[in-house]
Amino acid sequence: MDKPRPPHPGQDSPWLLFLCERTRARNAEREKMVAPPPFSNEECESFRRVVRAEWEAMSEDRRQQYEEEAERTRAQFPLDVAEYTRALAKWKADTIPPMPDVLPAELQAYEVQVYAQQTFFAEYAPMEKLHALMAEREWPSIAETTKRMQTRWNAMSVEERYPYLYEVCRDKQRGKRFSFFN
């Protein structure tokens, strides 16, 4: 059984939904080219300015469809987080063995500790987003979120950290490449 992936908060901004739609259309056109050149920063900025002008010139009726989609995305996210939380708890119960009395040296290695912390961060970032949405406050910056999760990680006992350490060690034994952005 594979570990469930955290839900993506989705685009909850009407403007970003429109920008993503236009970007997908542009990329579909580029895929038809035999060997498309890479985008330059100037091209990306120019494209964004054009799309921004389209957005600002758009009628309220047309904007409404993006606002409704953003609202559906915001409403769906808590349901996705709840499903993810249930699936993750089941996965941990089925996969992670009980913690030994003495933590093996391989679980104490610095590299394992760092990647276990990153696994924890990836798992709980969607929860931070959900708490921000439920409290109807602005989504915290990456730096603020990282500080919160770092504080939470530092306060965790070895028993609470064990599932993350075990998961990283198991992946390492399987030859999985460590990366925060798996």
Side-chain angles (χ1 to χ4, degrees):
M1 178 173 165
D2 289 338
K3 182 178 181 183
R5 299 206 37 104
H8 187 276
Q11 299 299 344
D12 56 4
S13 157
W15 151 246
L16 286 176
L17 285 168
F18 178 68
L19 177 62
C20 288
E21 179 182 283
R22 293 285 286 120
T23 302
R24 281 191 294 274
R26 176 189 66 174
N27 291 345
E29 290 174 17
R30 284 180 59 84
E31 286 178 4
K32 295 175 187 173
M33 300 171 87
V34 176
F39 285 116
S40 68
N41 288 343
E42 294 81 27
E43 285 177 300
C44 290
E45 195 54 43
S46 171
F47 174 76
R48 216 176 121 106
R49 278 194 296 272
V50 168
V51 174
R52 174 56 83 179
E54 287 177 25
W55 175 256
E56 290 171 355
M58 188 183 294
S59 70
E60 285 299 318
D61 291 339
R62 183 132 184 264
R63 273 192 192 191
Q64 185 63 33
Q65 79 184 47
Y66 295 101
E67 290 171 11
E68 289 169 1
E69 178 64 27
E71 191 56 43
R72 279 193 297 276
T73 301
R74 280 191 289 275
Q76 181 62 39
F77 184 66
L79 303 175
D80 293 345
V81 169
E83 175 58 33
Y84 167 71
T85 304
R86 281 191 295 278
L88 184 65
K90 181 177 179 355
W91 178 84
K92 283 182 178 178
D94 293 347
T95 309
I96 311 273
M99 184 176 150
D101 293 336
V102 177
L103 206 58
E106 62 186 7
L107 294 182
Q108 296 179 28
Y110 175 76
E111 178 187 50
V112 171
Q113 294 282 331
V114 168
Y115 286 112
Q117 183 178 15
Q118 290 176 346
T119 302
F120 169 77
F121 281 19
E123 200 172 283
Y124 280 93
M127 308 309 177
E128 289 290 322
K129 169 78 174 187
L130 177 62
H131 294 308
L133 288 174
M134 290 175 72
E136 296 181 0
R137 60 182 161 81
E138 192 173 309
W139 169 230
S141 68
I142 292 173
E144 186 180 329
T145 301
T146 302
K147 284 180 195 172
R148 282 189 197 160
M149 289 192 290
Q150 181 69 47
T151 302
R152 189 177 299 165
W153 176 261
N154 290 341
M156 290 170 69
S157 68
V158 174
E159 291 80 15
E160 292 170 316
R161 291 182 185 186
Y162 175 71
Y164 303 101
L165 296 168
Y166 177 82
E167 180 184 347
V168 168
C169 254
R170 189 194 60 195
D171 289 346
K172 186 177 179 182
Q173 289 169 352
R174 290 180 181 173
K176 184 176 178 183
R177 191 177 136 259
F178 287 115
S179 172
F180 182 56
F181 301 102
N182 284 345

